[in-house]
Amino acid sequence: MTTPPVAPGVSTGDGPRLPGAPEAEGTDRVICHVDMDCFYAACERLREPDLADEPLVVGMGYEAGESHGAVATASYEARAFGVESAMPISEALDLLPRRADADGGGEEGDPGDAGAVEGTGHYRPVDMEFYESVADDVKAILHDAAGTVREVSIDEAYLDATSVGWDEAETFARGLKRRIESAVGVVASVGVAPNMSAAKIASDHDKPDGLVVVRPGEVRAFLAPLPVEALHGVGPVTARELRSMGVETAGDLAGTDPTVLAERFGERGRSLHERANGRDDRPVEPQGDPKSLSGESAFVEATDDRERKREKVRELASEVAERARSRGALYKTIGVKVVTPPFDVNTRARSLPGPVDDPDLVERVSLDLLGEFADARVRKLGVRVSNLEFGGEQAKLGTYAEGRAGGSDGDRAGREREAPDRSRRGQTTFGDF
C-alpha cells in the first residue's frame, strides 16, 4: 500500500526532524491522538484470525438480496477494491472478489465465507457490544498511560502527555502503540503534536500503523503542503468554496487574509485560519463523567485453575472499587467479563437497588458472577462498575442478600444476565446510520 507523503523533516518514528522555528506555535504541551486502524474490522479479526489480510467489510442493516444497508468500516484490503465508508453494502460486495462456490458453500455473491479462497471478500454485521468490549481494553491502557484522556469515540482519543516531555514523547507514543497491540491485539496509529488539531492530523498522516511526531516549531511546515480537507472543520462544501478562492492547501489558507475568510465564512473562517497556522489552544479535557469504570487482566496462557481466576477477580475488584472511590463515583451495577479461547467475550452483570460505594460488595458480586465460569478455561478477566452517579447519596442496601432481593423471582431480582457476545476514512460511527 502507498502511504501518504510526509512533510520533509517531520518524524514518522525514524526519520529526521525539522529544525526549530523562532516563532512559537502554541505551547510545549505534548498531545497524543490515538486512532485505531479499521477498528470494527480489527475486532472481527480478533475472533476470526483467518480474516487477517482478507478484504473485509463490516456493515449494518444488510440482508442478502436487499439493497439497503451501509458500510461501517472496510479493511485496507477492501479499500483497495474501491470500497468506502457509508457505501451501500450491496455495492461494496459487488466490488469485492467473489468467493468460490464450487464446494456448495452458497450462491455467488453470498457474503458468507464458507468455501472462501485466498483474496475472497468477506462481510460481517456490526456487533457493537463486542467492539465496545475491545474498546474498553484499549481505553483502560490509555487511562493508565496518561492522567488526562479525552475519549472522542469508540476508536479514538486524545491524551495529554505533557508530563512525559518532548525528549521522551516519541518513546512514549511508540510504547503506547506496542502496549495496545500486545495486550488487546488491535493496531493504533498515533499522532503527537503540541495541540489537538495537529495531533489528529498527524495520526491520520501515515496510516495504517502510523507514528508521526510533530514538534513545537514544526507544525506550520507540517501542515502547509496538506490539502485543505485535512484540517478539522473543512468538509467538501467548504473545500470547494476555498478552492474557488484559489486556496488549495493548508499553507494557502494560512497565508490568506483572515478578514477575507471571516467575510466569507464568518467566525469559522478565523478559526480555520488559526488551525492552518498551527494554533489551537484547546486543552485536553474529558467529555463529562465516565459511564463506567473497569479493569481487566490477561493470563499468559488460558487457565482453568479456579483459585487463580478468583484471585485475579479479587485484585481487579479492589482496583476498580478504589478508582471509583477516588473519583467520588457511586455505582448501581457490578459486572464481570470473562474471555474464553479463542476470543469469546462473556459478560455478566448484577444491578443493585441503589447507588453505592462498597469495595467489599464489588468483590463479593464479582466472585459470585465468576462462579458460572468456575470450570471454564479463561484467557482474560475483567471487573466493571457502571450506571455511575457522581456527588449523590449512597443507598442503604443492608445485607448483600437484601441487595439481591429487590424484585420478583428471587435470585433474578436485580440481576442482569447478558448473553455472550457472538457473532475516518474508511470508518463511520454507528450513530451515522
Side-chain angles (χ1 to χ4, degrees), residues 284-326:
V284 176
E285 295 178 333
Q287 291 184 305
D289 293 322
K291 296 179 181 179
S292 66
L293 295 169
S294 63
E296 301 187 5
S297 182
F299 296 101
V300 176
E301 295 182 354
T303 181
D304 58 5
D305 186 306
R306 292 191 179 193
E307 189 51 40
R308 286 186 67 196
K309 291 184 289 187
R310 288 175 63 84
E311 183 59 31
K312 183 79 73 176
V313 164
R314 290 189 190 99
E315 294 172 1
L316 292 169
S318 175
E319 171 195 325
V320 170
E322 178 57 33
R323 286 175 58 203
R325 176 167 289 180
S326 69

Side-chain angles (χ1 to χ4, degrees), residues 34-43 45 73-74 76 79 155 177 186-190 203-204 206-210 424 427:
V34 179
D35 194 359
M36 310 309 299
D37 295 337
C38 299
F39 184 60
Y40 296 173
C43 290
R45 286 168 167 172
T73 191
Y76 284 96
R79 294 182 205 181
D155 64 338
K177 281 170 53 64
V186 293
V187 175
S189 288
V190 178
S203 71
D204 198 44
D206 197 28
K207 276 181 167 285
D209 197 17
R424 224 136 315 226
Q427 179 156 302

Side-chain angles (χ1 to χ4, degrees), residues 101-373:
D101 62 346
D103 62 353
E107 296 180 1
E108 183 181 13
D110 185 337
D113 64 348
V117 295
E118 184 178 358
T120 297
H122 304 266
Y123 167 78
R124 293 294 180 270
V126 163
D127 184 348
M128 286 303 297
E129 188 175 6
F130 178 58
Y131 306 157
E132 287 170 354
S133 173
V134 178
D136 284 344
D137 294 350
V138 175
K139 291 173 183 176
I141 292 172
L142 301 184
H143 282 279
D144 183 63
T148 304
V149 178
R150 179 183 177 91
E151 298 176 12
V152 179
S153 66
I154 191 173
D155 64 338
E156 63 173 316
Y158 293 94
L159 284 68
D160 189 330
T162 302
S163 62
V164 172
W166 278 104
D167 287 344
E168 299 297 329
E170 183 176 315
T171 300
F172 171 82
R174 189 179 299 283
L176 191 63
K177 281 170 53 64
R178 186 181 300 114
R179 186 175 173 189
I180 291 170
E181 185 170 6
S182 174
V184 186
V186 293
V187 175
S189 288
V190 178
V192 187
N195 61 61
M196 290 174 63
S197 57
K200 180 174 176 62
I201 294 170
S203 71
D204 198 44
H205 196 66
D206 197 28
K207 276 181 167 285
D209 197 17
L211 172 57
V212 175
V213 178
V214 186
R215 291 175 172 260
E218 299 176 355
V219 180
R220 269 176 283 189
F222 166 68
L223 296 175
L226 303 180
V228 289
E229 292 93 336
L231 296 174
H232 180 66
V234 179
V237 174
T238 302
R240 283 196 297 271
E241 291 189 58
L242 288 170
R243 287 200 166 89
S244 72
M245 301 167 59
V247 177
E248 298 280 344
T249 66
D252 295 336
L253 184 58
T256 302
D257 186 339
T259 303
V260 173
L261 294 170
E263 290 175 353
R264 186 71 171 264
F265 301 102
E267 190 58 33
R268 187 166 65 96
R270 294 186 184 276
S271 177
L272 292 176
H273 184 263
E274 288 289 291
R275 302 277 175 87
N277 276 282
R279 295 189 287 267
D280 178 6
D281 294 332
R282 294 175 299 160
V284 176
E285 295 178 333
Q287 291 184 305
D289 293 322
K291 296 179 181 179
S292 66
L293 295 169
S294 63
E296 301 187 5
S297 182
F299 296 101
V300 176
E301 295 182 354
T303 181
D304 58 5
D305 186 306
R306 292 191 179 193
E307 189 51 40
R308 286 186 67 196
K309 291 184 289 187
R310 288 175 63 84
E311 183 59 31
K312 183 79 73 176
V313 164
R314 290 189 190 99
E315 294 172 1
L316 292 169
S318 175
E319 171 195 325
V320 170
E322 178 57 33
R323 286 175 58 203
R325 176 167 289 180
S326 69
R327 298 189 182 199
L330 304 178
Y331 34 88
K332 293 190 288 187
T333 303
I334 300 169
V336 298
K337 179 163 78 171
V338 180
V339 181
T340 56
F343 208 94
D344 291 332
V345 180
N346 305 274
T347 57
R348 300 290 185 269
R350 183 168 297 156
S351 294
L352 308 173
V356 300
D357 168 14
D358 190 336
D360 290 339
L361 184 59
V362 175
E363 179 179 313
R364 291 198 300 273
V365 172
S366 299
L367 289 172
D368 193 25
L369 297 174
L370 177 67
E372 181 180 339
F373 304 92

Side-chain angles (χ1 to χ4, degrees), residues 22-93:
E23 66 275 21
E25 292 169 323
T27 70
D28 285 342
R29 290 180 300 176
V30 180
I31 308 299
C32 297
H33 183 258
V34 179
D35 194 359
M36 310 309 299
D37 295 337
C38 299
F39 184 60
Y40 296 173
C43 290
E44 292 296 337
R45 286 168 167 172
L46 275 179
R47 55 184 173 187
E48 293 187 68
D50 288 345
L51 293 176
D53 302 322
E54 294 286 301
L56 174 61
V57 170
V58 180
M60 58 193 77
Y62 174 80
E63 294 180 11
E66 299 290 337
S67 59
H68 64 279
V71 174
T73 191
S75 69
Y76 284 96
E77 295 83 1
R79 294 182 205 181
F81 290 94
V83 177
E84 298 177 354
S85 172
M87 174 183 286
I89 291 175
S90 55
E91 181 180 342
L93 294 177

